[in-house]
């Protein structure tokens, strides 16, 4: 009769040790595999978005806003090729109202493109096409990064593999406004990318009251994709977010009366004040002081902005302050249009969201009314709800503040669009993805019929907006370049009896000011052009004389 062999205590401990080590190794391999798969997915998504936005940029054939050219490409052309290159420098640049950071980017693009064209000995036509396309391609990369960080923000709120994160990505890809505007060289477009990048990296939980969580049953989880509250990774993200936020502030003075990021932190502090601690009140002041005087990365961003402006203007200046003085204190912005107080509500958001408007309204309501946002137990769900409520409040508060300014444009609230896409993602997912019950399955199948309709409407708006709505300002310059190349650069052969054509062609534009692009699309220095101007009456004091002033 055989007996079961006995195992010594030493052997048992050895087996337990091996099992434990193998478990740890297996767990490590699984985590490494998940990280590698996530990194591969992120890389694939980013590459797709870059290719998609480059196609988008090269498909845009219409005119939207003069600032797309006169506040970015024209000063960039002047930086790259010199004051005698024929760029149109508007009054804002002559009076130091604009930061030179944004044009500096495109100045580098122009210079590199010109060097490449010279090295490859491009024809005049190819040289012109390269200089026109290069800024579009760079802006397409910025737009793709905006889409990518919108997805990252969705993943951070809803989870790595959540349907809501993918829905946020689908919303930004299929957005008619994004197709129409995101690849244009407006400073608002780069500002939008910097804003959503900062939001996706911002450590929202840092502004919460830490002291009150101790000993009171608070469970401090992070957002679904992040479990470490004060890790080195969080510190890095905070610094990167700060640089993005301050880069956005230095980039553009028009819409930066305050920083959206600091506003969100301020709202966060107010929302979570419950009278138990002074911490929730003082944190707002701490964030502001830390933003200005704290991290060296933020200081570096501000110093870099000041130095770039010093090099461009040849004197020390602070464009945001001068902008406020001229456009607010002197009320010069009203010369470029007035709008009703409800413009952003009645026209701005409908233009940005189009077919997504109902889902965004539901998402805002759900974010503001969520019971988890006022929970005393800071679980993952509660922290997500709190963050969503901060985002929702900022998308309402920012337009409210901007509504007090007479001059309004939809692009001033464009940086809020990625946040609205993220907040609209849960209602979209819930509406189109049915639950397991048979009733909801049948209802979901009927709702799926709306998807093709929404896509058709979005594609129609995007197609008409980028091909048929105001294409003439661009096509007329293409015609002028073609005429110049054919009649001025194509000289008759030496044995021809025809005299050589003059090397310069003069063109006049009897249209409202800034109705077409300028040197960025004329390109050839042999094309001499003039147009009617519409500079505001800087020489007149506020009063009746200024109110009665008429430009050309």
């Amino acid at each position: 009769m055989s007996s079961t062999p006995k195992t010594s205590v030493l052997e048992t401990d050895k087996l337990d040790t091996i099992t434990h080590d193998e478990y740890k190794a297996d767990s490590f391999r699984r985590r490494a595999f998940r990280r590698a798969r996530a990194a591969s997915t992120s890389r694939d998504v980013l590459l797709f978005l870059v290719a998609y936005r480059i196609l988008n940029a090269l498909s845009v054939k219409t005119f939207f806003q003069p600032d797309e050219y006169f506040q970015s490409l024209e000063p960039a052309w002047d930086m790259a090729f010199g004051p005698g290159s024929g760029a149109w420098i508007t009054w804002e640049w002559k009076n130091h109202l604009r930061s030179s950071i944004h044009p500096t980017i495109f100045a580098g693009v122009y210079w590199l493109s010109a060097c490449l064209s010279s090295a490859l000995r491009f024809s005049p036509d190819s040289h012109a096409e390269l200089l026109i396309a290069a800024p579009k391609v760079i802006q397409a990369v910025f737009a793709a990064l905006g889409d990518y960080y919108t997805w990252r923000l969705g993943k951070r709120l809803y989870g790595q593999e959540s349907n809501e994160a993918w829905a946020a990505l689908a919303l930004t890809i299929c957005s008619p406004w994004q197709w129409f505007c995101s690849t244009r060289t407006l400073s608002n477009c780069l500002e939008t990318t910097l804003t959503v990048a900062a939001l996706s990296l911002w450590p929202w939980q840092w502004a919460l009251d830490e002291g009150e969580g101790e000993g009171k049953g608070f469970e401090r989880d992070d957002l679904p994709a992040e479990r470490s509250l004060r890790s080195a990774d969080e510190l890095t993200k905070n610094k990167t977010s700060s640089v993005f936020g301050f880069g956005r502030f230095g980039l553009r003075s028009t819409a930066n009366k305050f920083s959206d990021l600091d506003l969100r932190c301020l709202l966060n502090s107010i929302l979570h004040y419950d009278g138990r601690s002074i911490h929730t009140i003082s944190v707002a002041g701490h964030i502001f002081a830390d933003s200005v005087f704290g991290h060296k990365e933020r200081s570096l961003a501000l110093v870099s902005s000041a130095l770039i402006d010093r090099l461009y203007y040849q004197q020390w200046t602070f464009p945001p302050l001068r902008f406020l003085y001229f456009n607010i204190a002197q009320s010069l912005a009203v010369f470029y249009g007035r709008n009703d107080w409800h413009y952003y509500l009645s026209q701005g958001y409908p233009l940005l969201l189009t077919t997504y408007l109902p889902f965004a309204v539901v998402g805002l309501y759900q974010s503001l009314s969520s019971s988890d946002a006022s929970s005393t137990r800071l679980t993952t769900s509660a922290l997500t709800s709190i963050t969503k409520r901060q985002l929702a409040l900022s998308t309402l508060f920012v337009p409210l503040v901007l509504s007090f300014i007479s001059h309004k444009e939809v692009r001033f609230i464009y940086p809020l669009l990625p946040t609205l896409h993220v907040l609209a993602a849960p209602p979209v997912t819930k509406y189109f993805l049915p639950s397991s019950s048979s009733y909801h399955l049948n209802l979901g199948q009927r709702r799926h019929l709306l998807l093709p309709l929404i896509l058709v409407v979005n594609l129609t708006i995007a197609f008409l907006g980028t091909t048929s709505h105001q294409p003439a300002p661009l096509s007329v310059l293409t015609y002028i370049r073609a005429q110049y190349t054919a009649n001025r650069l194509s000289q008759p052969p030496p044995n021809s009896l025809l005299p050589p054509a003059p090397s310069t062609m003069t063109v006049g534009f009897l249209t409202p000011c800034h109705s077409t692009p300028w040197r960025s699309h004329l390109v050839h220095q042999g094309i001499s052009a003039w147009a009617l101007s519409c500079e505001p009456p800087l020489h007149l004091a506020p009063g009746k004389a200024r109110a009665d002033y008429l430009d050309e």
Side-chain angles (χ1 to χ4, degrees):
M1 184 174 181
S2 62
S3 60
T4 304
K6 295 182 179 180
T7 305
S8 66
V9 176
L10 181 60
E11 290 174 336
T12 302
D13 292 342
K14 183 178 180 181
L15 289 174
D16 290 343
T17 302
I18 293 174
T19 302
H20 181 64
D21 291 343
E22 288 178 346
Y23 173 78
K24 288 195 299 183
D26 183 63
S27 177
F28 176 79
R29 284 194 296 269
R30 286 198 301 269
R31 290 195 302 269
F33 175 76
R34 286 196 297 268
R35 287 195 296 267
R37 185 175 62 179
S40 176
T41 301
S42 297
R43 183 183 66 249
D44 293 343
V45 168
L46 181 57
L47 291 176
F48 165 76
L49 291 172
V50 169
Y52 177 75
R53 287 304 175 194
I54 289 176
L55 174 64
N56 181 181
L58 299 180
S59 301
V60 175
K61 306 295 181 183
T62 56
F63 183 88
F64 174 40
Q65 284 282 349
D67 283 6
E68 181 181 353
Y69 311 100
F70 293 93
Q71 304 303 345
S72 58
L73 298 186
E74 290 302 309
W77 190 282
D78 183 70
M79 291 181 193
F81 304 120
S85 58
W88 186 337
I89 304 301
T90 60
W91 69 275
E92 294 100 328
W93 295 97
K94 297 175 181 177
N95 289 276
H96 305 179
L97 269 66
R98 302 283 182 175
S99 170
S100 57
I101 295 177
H102 190 232
T104 299
I105 298 172
F106 295 109
V109 173
Y110 277 138
W111 185 82
L112 290 174
S113 300
C115 291
L116 178 63
S117 175
S118 176
L120 298 179
R121 299 187 179 184
F122 280 0
S123 66
D125 282 337
S126 299
H127 173 79
E129 292 298 330
L130 176 63
L131 291 181
I132 292 172
K136 296 182 179 181
V137 172
I138 295 301
Q139 180 56 43
V141 174
F142 294 149
L145 289 172
D147 298 334
Y148 176 75
Y149 279 108
T150 301
W151 177 55
R152 289 284 298 270
L153 180 59
K155 289 201 302 179
R156 198 174 165 209
L157 281 174
Y158 307 119
Q160 290 286 346
E161 301 297 333
S162 63
N163 292 324
E164 290 82 359
W166 289 106
L169 179 62
L171 289 176
T172 191
I173 288 175
C174 299
S175 167
W177 180 267
Q178 291 284 53
W179 182 269
F180 175 73
C181 187
S182 68
T183 60
R184 297 181 184 272
T185 52
L186 291 162
S187 59
N188 310 89
C189 299
L190 181 54
E191 179 188 359
T192 300
T193 295
L194 293 175
T195 299
V196 70
L199 293 178
S200 69
L201 298 172
W202 181 255
W204 296 96
Q205 63 275 18
W206 282 24
L208 299 177
D209 187 357
E210 294 184 62
E212 294 171 13
E214 299 177 1
K216 298 189 178 183
F218 275 71
E219 179 184 340
R220 289 195 168 273
D221 291 339
D222 201 353
L223 296 177
E226 299 169 2
R227 302 299 180 186
S228 175
L229 181 62
R230 291 288 186 180
S231 63
D233 183 54
E234 282 291 349
L235 287 170
T236 302
K237 288 181 178 181
N238 181 36
K239 292 178 180 180
T240 307
S241 174
S242 302
V243 171
F244 283 154
F246 274 80
R248 172 189 174 277
F249 181 84
L251 173 72
R252 192 175 118 78
S253 54
T254 305
N256 282 293
K257 315 303 186 295
F258 47 82
S259 168
D260 288 354
L261 207 55
D262 291 336
L263 172 63
R264 287 171 169 86
C265 298
L266 177 61
L267 287 172
N268 178 49
S269 303
I270 295 173
L271 287 172
H272 293 89
Y273 175 66
D274 56 8
R276 294 182 294 172
S277 168
I278 197 64
H279 175 84
T280 49
I281 293 295
S282 64
V283 71
H286 166 73
I287 288 172
F288 177 79
D290 181 63
S291 297
V292 178
F293 305 109
H295 292 301
K296 60 183 179 181
E297 289 80 6
R298 300 176 183 179
S299 301
L300 179 61
L302 289 175
V303 170
S304 299
S305 173
L307 288 176
I308 291 173
D309 288 333
R310 172 67 176 83
L311 291 173
Y312 179 73
Y313 288 116
Q314 297 299 306
Q315 66 182 74
W316 292 107
T317 184
F318 190 58
L321 183 61
R322 293 187 63 81
F323 179 89
L324 289 173
Y325 172 75
F326 275 88
N327 285 283
I328 306 301
Q330 296 293 319
S331 298
L332 292 174
V334 298
F335 282 93
Y336 297 99
R338 294 174 180 266
N339 299 92
D340 296 326
W341 64 267
H342 55 77
Y343 171 82
Y344 291 119
L345 180 64
S346 61
Q347 299 180 52
Y349 273 164
L351 282 172
L352 288 178
L353 292 164
T354 55
T355 56
Y356 304 156
L357 183 60
F359 301 105
V361 171
V362 173
L364 287 171
Y365 174 77
Q366 292 176 347
S367 300
L368 294 172
S369 61
S370 173
S371 59
D372 286 339
S374 56
S375 173
T376 58
R377 186 171 181 81
L378 193 56
T379 61
T380 296
S381 176
L383 185 54
T384 300
S385 298
I386 290 169
T387 304
K388 287 174 60 179
R389 186 164 72 170
Q390 296 170 43
L391 293 171
L393 280 170
S394 66
T395 60
L396 299 177
F397 190 77
V398 171
L400 175 64
V401 173
L402 294 179
S403 295
F404 288 98
I405 302 174
S406 298
H407 180 63
K408 304 176 183 68
E409 295 184 38
V410 62
R411 60 193 177 97
F412 294 169
I413 59 171
Y414 177 31
L416 300 173
L417 182 58
T419 300
L420 291 167
H421 285 160
V422 171
L423 296 178
V428 168
T429 304
K430 184 176 180 180
Y431 188 83
F432 289 109
L433 292 183
S435 63
S436 57
S437 67
S438 59
Y439 170 76
H440 287 97
L441 285 173
N442 293 330
L443 183 61
Q445 290 173 356
R446 291 195 297 270
R447 288 176 174 177
H448 285 170
L449 298 177
L450 288 176
L451 274 176
L453 177 61
I454 291 176
L455 288 176
V456 168
V457 172
N458 287 357
L459 288 174
T460 301
I461 296 173
F463 177 78
L464 294 178
T466 53
T467 61
S468 303
H469 181 66
Q470 297 190 103
L474 299 183
S475 58
V476 70
L477 295 183
T478 301
Y479 173 80
I480 290 172
R481 285 198 315 274
Q483 290 297 309
Y484 176 78
T485 302
N487 299 319
R488 299 297 191 272
L489 298 182
S490 300
Q491 298 294 333
N495 57 352
S496 173
L497 298 178
L498 296 174
S503 59
T504 301
M505 181 172 71
T506 302
V507 181
F509 291 85
L510 297 176
T511 60
C513 67
H514 306 147
S515 293
T516 67
W518 204 247
R519 188 56 56 185
S520 63
H521 280 62
L522 291 171
V523 180
H524 303 296
Q525 197 162 348
I527 302 178
S528 177
W530 57 269
L532 301 178
S533 67
C534 56
E535 296 185 356
L538 301 178
H539 59 287
L540 297 178
K544 188 175 185 305
R546 178 179 287 184
D548 294 339
Y549 173 80
L550 293 176
D551 57 44
E552 292 181 350

